[in-house]
Structure formats: structure tokens, C-alpha cells
Amino acid sequence: MNILAIETATPASSVAIGSDGDVLGSAVNVDRRGHVGFLIPAINFCFGQAGWDPADVDIVAVDIGPGPYTGLRAGIATAEAFAAAVGAPVVTVSSLTVIALRAATGRRRIWPVVDMRRGQFAVAPFRPLPGGVAPDGTPEVIKPHDFRALLEAEGSDSLVVGDWASMPESTWTGLHRVRKGRPRYPSAATLIEIATMKAARGETTDVADVRPLYMREPDVQINWKAFREEDAWPR
Amino acid sequence: MNGPIVLGIETSCDETGVAVLEGMEVRSSVLASQVDIHARYGGVVPEVAARAHVEAIRPLVHQALTQAGVHPDELDAVSVTQGPGLVGALMVGYSFAKSFAYALGKPLYGIDHMEGHLFAPRLAFSGYEPPAVVVLASGGHSQIVHVKAWGEYDVLGGTIDDAAGEAFDKLARFMGLGYPGGPAIDSDSEGGDPTAVQFPRALRDRPFDFSFSGLKTSVVTYLEKAGAAGELPPRADVSASIQEAIVDVIVDKTFNAVKATGVDVVGGGGGVLANRRLRERLAQEAEWRGVGLFIPEPALCTDNGAMIASVAVDKMDQGMPSDPLTGDVMPGLSLG
Ligand SMILES: [Zn+2]
């Protein structure tokens, strides 16, 4: 079973291809405005490494977020188009899960962090399992000081992974039971691993049902200051 | 009819448009309009637009291919708007098109949205050939272009503040007429007297440029004064007078360009060209001056996928290269 994985939920974009759980090729680029220019050449590069054609892809795996929307949508549109063109089903994975799976800990509660910009972060707790992680609460989008309060309230040791370096240093002062670690960004190679397990369990999605995980309403600012709201004519 | 079979995708602003062309023949053209969504906000909200595009694009591509009776393998190329436009909106269409083309092993053509508007009349008329003067007016752009040959453009002038469609939107909003403003003012003008109020026609000294900020100020001041004095004329008269002022400016500048260039072909594109009064006035003026007028049906004036594919068909005819795999959107792209 051949999987193409596409990951654009953070400033890092990555693609990987894998067969029966083995990663056969991957490419990463950290550039928060570079997703569109990077993806297809990177996929082409990976295919070249493995001697694949697009038609060799059985499943397209894609990170559906949360993450800054513009890059995220570039990845999702790329995955949808690829899947539609070759008639492949899709496996969708959350960026928080992809980051959490790479966190190296045996016992600490894992808190992956994705910078959503404008001072907000997507976070979610996971608990380590032998050979994996399991969700251990609800994902939310919060400010660093609220995240600090969450960690303070924890009764156990925790490991924060992901883009915690984008939070202010003051978030961590005095939090003695919190450790910070890697990875900073999710990677498509990890996505291959998760997609392989999900596909084996039959957890694939029709391309028609793929949606970004926004977790935040769009910003709507309308500059109508110069104009009156009411009608000049009596109704 | 012969010619390459090309998929065209347009997502630069608030319409997701997808079409299949065979040469210059439109095999299918479908649209997911976001007008109702943006009406809630009184204008296009970029993040809302991008969200709507990502929802609409794959089903629309499927629908366009199905309606055309074309299997993806039968496509000769995929084309897509590369710019100008809203970056987040462009990225959805461009990413989709690029991946679709790559996975199918087809060439990708990134197209200038404005060139698409210049080409759209070709899908409706056979006599529309350069040299020509083309007026492009919508919510996002207002330009007068001298088309010397296909691919060779001289932008003679444009708006120095709001685009024509934007002026309609803001004035309609001020009048309490709703969004989008062009159609709202168009229908409110019905039966109104376009000479009731003389609003200013700005930039008489710059033959090919527009400005609508003076008109806005003038309408606001006029309505405030008339309202305070209890002398508001019928609303239809004010709508008709506003429309006449905008239409006058567009017609004037267009035919200034016709005079200056000596061409005898005039084209038009962009959502504002769907305005009935503008179409009527351009037709009168063209007839009076003996020049050919080529303004297609409103569905080809507003943003659509067919106009994008038509530019790609032409590029293929001319043997022009397709986009590299590293291609990206160009939100600031400009003609010429
Ligand atoms: Zn347009």
C-alpha cells in the first residue's frame, strides 16, 4: 500500500511517500510563505527517488490542521486534487497528533503546541502509550497565559512539544513539572506512520469529506467608518 | 470544433469558477458564487472567500468535467488564475490546479486574471480582434486597456482610488440598498430620473483615469443637506443619478481611448459591465461613432473559469511554455 503524505499546517511544509509503513522518500522546507512553490517539486523529487508515478499512489494522507489557514489550505487543496486525479481515498490527521507522536517520553502528559498567530496557540493533551499516543482531552485555541494556567493546574509532569518557542519566555517561569522538547513542527514522515495505521483500520475518508480544521472563526473587519448604517429615506 | 481541451479554474476573489473549453468553444462553465455569504458583511472578506473556495473547488471541477462529458485523462491542459487577486483565495485554486495537472501528467498554465477578462469576448464573438480598446470594471479593478495584439497590452489608465464596483458597493451601502451595490443601484434606478441630481464627473483633465472618491463625498454631502432640509428626492432619482455619474465616467474614458488610439473595436469585461445602463450607453456611443462593440453576456463579464481557459488555449496555439513545477501565485500581477 503506497501512501503520499502532505503536511502544511505550520511554517514547515513537508511531503513524504511510504510503502507498507516504510518511508521511501521525504522532503522538508521551512518557509511560511513557501508552501505552494514547494509541494509539487518535492512530491516529484520523492517519486523520483522511489521510481513512482502519480498513479502508484493508493492513499493520500493530509494534515488538516489546526494551523495558520493559508498554508494549510494549500496543502489540503493539493491533497484533494491529487486524490481526485488518481482516484485515491484520503486519510486525514490532526497536526497536534502528528507532533505528539514524535514526542519522546515514557510517562509525561504530552502537550503539542501549534502557533496560530495573532498571539494564539492550538493545544491539546495526549497521553503516551507503548508505541504511540492517545488523545487525553479536547483541543483548543488559547493565549499563552491561559495555557500556563492549564499546565499549572495539571497534577502530573508534562512535556510541551511543538512551537513553544513562539510563546513568551514568561509562560514557563516557575513551572517545575513542565519540560519542553521536540519536535517543533509536524512532519509528513510521521504522517505516513499514522496513515498506515489508520488505513489498516479502514479509517479512510472520501475526498469529498476532507475539510480543514480551523478551530477559529474568520476575522471579519469591515471599514465602513465613513458611511452611515441607516437609510436616508424613511422605510 | 477542434482545439485543445482545457480545464480553467478561477479563484481570485469571491467566485469559484470552473470551465472546460475545447478550443474557444465552451463545453461547460460552472460557478459557486459567494455573493450571499459576503452580503452579510457588506463586502468581500478575504478569509471567508478562501474558506468558501476550498469547499467549492473539487465538487465544481467534478461538475464541470461531467457536464462537458470530458474524462480528466482527455484534458490537454489545466489552467488557473495566478493573479492578481486575494492571495489566500488564489492559493486555493492554484494549489488545486497544479496538483491536479501534475497527478494527471498534464501541463499547467498560470493565467493573468485581467488577460482572462480581455479574452472573454472571444468566447462570444468571432469579430472581436485586436487592435482594440477594452474597458475592465469590477469590484476589484477598473482599467482601460489598449490591446495591440493578443499578449501585447498597454494599460492606458485606471482608477486612482476605488474601483467602479467598489464605488457602487459603498454608495449602495450608504443608500441602504444592500450588497452587491451595482445590481442593487441598477434595479433601484428603474424609473428614476438620471438627470435629477448632477453629481460630479471627476478627472476631466486625465483622459483615461477614473476617480470615484469625489462622487462619494458629493453624494454623502448632498443627501445630508437634502435630508436636513426635508427635501429628499425619490430614492430612484438619486440611484439613477449616481449610476449615470459612474456610467458617464466609464463611457467617456473608454471613448477617449478609442479616439486616441484610432481603433474600431471596443470590448468590455468585469462585473460592472453587467450594468444595464452602462451596456446601453456604450452601445449608443459605439453605434454613433461606428465602432464595433463586443461585450459578452453578463456571465462572461463576471469572473468565470472559461475566460481563464481561453487564454491558455491561445498560449498553447502559440506554443508558449507551461508553468514550471515551482510556480506560485502572483497576487500583484499586472498587465503589460
Ligand atoms: Zn475579475
Side-chain angles (χ1 to χ4, degrees):
Chain A
M1 190 177 49
N2 293 339
I3 301 179
L4 164 66
I6 296 170
E7 159 58 66
T8 58
T10 67
S13 4
S14 60
V15 303
I17 58 170
S19 194
D20 305 322
D22 295 328
V23 174
L24 304 180
S26 68
V28 186
N29 181 46
V30 181
D31 172 2
R32 93 184 161 84
R33 289 198 179 82
H35 299 94
V36 177
F38 167 76
L39 288 178
I40 297 295
I43 291 170
N44 192 51
F45 166 82
C46 292
F47 284 1
Q49 278 189 317
W52 284 15
D53 283 326
D56 291 325
V57 172
D58 300 313
I59 288 174
V60 176
V62 63
D63 186 333
I64 52 162
Y69 319 127
T70 313
L72 183 64
R73 273 190 294 260
I76 290 174
T78 300
E80 277 194 40
F82 200 101
V86 302
V90 180
V91 170
T92 61
V93 185
S94 139
S95 55
L96 295 165
T97 306
V98 182
I99 298 170
L101 187 69
R102 279 281 84 80
T105 181
R107 56 180 184 88
R108 286 172 180 267
R109 202 155 183 247
I110 306 163
W111 286 89
V113 167
V114 170
D115 184 358
M116 298 290 284
R117 298 217 278 275
R118 290 191 284 113
Q120 292 185 314
F121 291 81
V123 303
F126 288 79
R127 85 192 124 80
L129 296 173
V133 293
D136 199 22
T138 319
E140 51 187 318
V141 174
I142 57 177
K143 295 200 157 78
H145 66 263
D146 295 324
F147 183 46
R148 180 192 161 83
L150 269 182
L151 294 172
E152 264 177 332
E154 289 252 290
S156 59
D157 292 345
S158 42
L159 173 66
V160 177
V161 291
D163 201 2
W164 49 263
S166 294
M167 292 185 173
E169 197 48 49
S170 60
T171 311
W172 318 110
T173 41
L175 289 181
H176 299 299
R177 303 186 70 175
V178 175
R179 236 192 247 149
K180 292 170 287 177
R182 285 155 42 106
R184 181 167 191 175
Y185 299 126
S187 91
T190 313
L191 200 48
I192 294 275
E193 195 179 319
I194 299 170
T196 305
M197 294 187 290
K198 288 188 83 166
R201 293 197 296 261
E203 293 172 17
T204 58
T205 305
D206 186 89
V207 64
D209 299 321
V210 178
R211 299 279 182 290
L213 199 57
Y214 290 111
M215 294 187 64
R216 193 164 67 190
E217 289 305 307
D219 255 11
V220 176
Q221 290 172 340
I222 302 162
N223 191 12
W224 293 108
K225 273 189 220 102
F227 293 88
R228 303 185 294 192
E229 289 283 339
E230 76 274 21
D231 193 342
W233 285 264
R235 285 182 199 274
Chain B
M1 189 160 172
N2 286 318
I5 300 180
V6 179
L7 181 71
I9 296 177
E10 152 64 34
T11 66
S12 67
C13 189
D14 60 345
E15 315 272 11
T16 321
V18 182
V20 176
L21 256 57
E22 180 171 0
M24 289 291 172
E25 187 199 344
V26 181
R27 295 268 300 254
S28 68
S29 184
V30 293
L31 197 72
S33 177
Q34 304 177 9
V35 164
D36 293 346
I37 304 172
H38 295 289
R40 278 190 261 139
Y41 306 109
V44 176
V45 183
E47 173 57 24
V48 174
R51 289 187 180 196
H53 285 307
V54 86
E55 286 286 317
I57 190 157
R58 195 207 49 83
L60 273 190
V61 167
H62 183 78
Q63 195 188 339
L65 288 165
T66 307
Q67 275 186 21
V70 168
H71 188 274
D73 289 339
E74 294 175 80
L75 291 170
D76 293 302
V78 176
S79 63
V80 62
T81 305
Q82 193 163 20
L86 305 168
V87 61
L90 288 167
M91 275 171 72
V92 172
Y94 195 82
S95 297
F96 190 97
K98 192 175 169 184
S99 179
F100 200 62
Y102 175 76
L104 293 169
K106 311 290 182 184
L108 175 76
Y109 289 88
I111 303 298
D112 182 328
H113 176 86
M114 303 306 288
E115 193 171 17
H117 279 305
L118 292 179
F119 267 60
R122 296 182 74 176
L123 296 168
F125 308 102
S126 53
Y128 173 70
E129 286 295 334
V133 160
V134 183
V135 54
L136 303 178
S138 75
H141 35 72
S142 293
Q143 288 186 333
I144 294 193
V145 184
H146 180 200
V147 179
K148 294 174 168 170
W150 296 126
E152 201 185 322
Y153 312 117
D154 195 0
V155 178
L156 299 176
T159 183
I160 61 165
D161 39 54
D162 286 346
E166 229 178 329
F168 270 122
D169 286 346
K170 290 183 180 174
L171 285 162
R173 170 91 175 185
F174 183 68
M175 302 266 296
L177 295 178
Y179 174 88
I185 288 184
D186 195 351
S187 67
D188 196 59
S189 302
E190 200 114 34
D193 174 8
T195 63
V197 193
Q198 271 302 307
F199 292 119
R201 275 66 165 160
L203 295 184
R204 290 278 193 201
D205 55 328
R206 292 170 66 169
F208 315 126
D209 288 325
F210 316 113
S211 166
F212 295 109
S213 63
L215 172 64
K216 270 183 337 202
T217 313
S218 158
V219 171
V220 171
T221 313
Y222 168 80
L223 287 179
E224 273 166 4
K225 271 195 192 150
E231 290 166 357
L232 277 174
R235 197 177 66 186
D237 284 357
V238 180
S239 287
S241 299
I242 289 172
Q243 175 167 275
E244 200 66 7
I246 296 176
V247 164
D248 250 1
V249 170
I250 297 173
V251 172
D252 248 31
K253 306 292 174 165
T254 305
F255 285 93
N256 283 345
V258 170
K259 233 184 297 175
T261 56
V263 305
D264 58 5
V265 170
V266 175
V272 173
L273 273 293
N275 181 282
R276 289 177 298 174
R277 181 65 180 150
L278 177 59
R279 295 170 76 95
E280 189 180 292
R281 289 282 313 282
L282 286 169
Q284 283 168 359
E285 199 73 16
E287 193 185 343
W288 186 67
R289 290 172 193 258
V291 301
L293 183 71
F294 300 89
I295 299 181
E297 67 209 70
L300 281 172
C301 289
T302 50
D303 293 349
N304 63 85
M307 70 183 198
I308 301 305
S310 72
V311 182
V313 167
D314 193 69
K315 280 179 185 259
M316 294 170 80
D317 281 351
Q318 295 182 36
M320 287 168 69
S322 56
D323 281 22
L325 292 184
T326 52
D328 203 340
V329 298
M330 300 169 76
L333 201 59
S334 67
L335 280 175

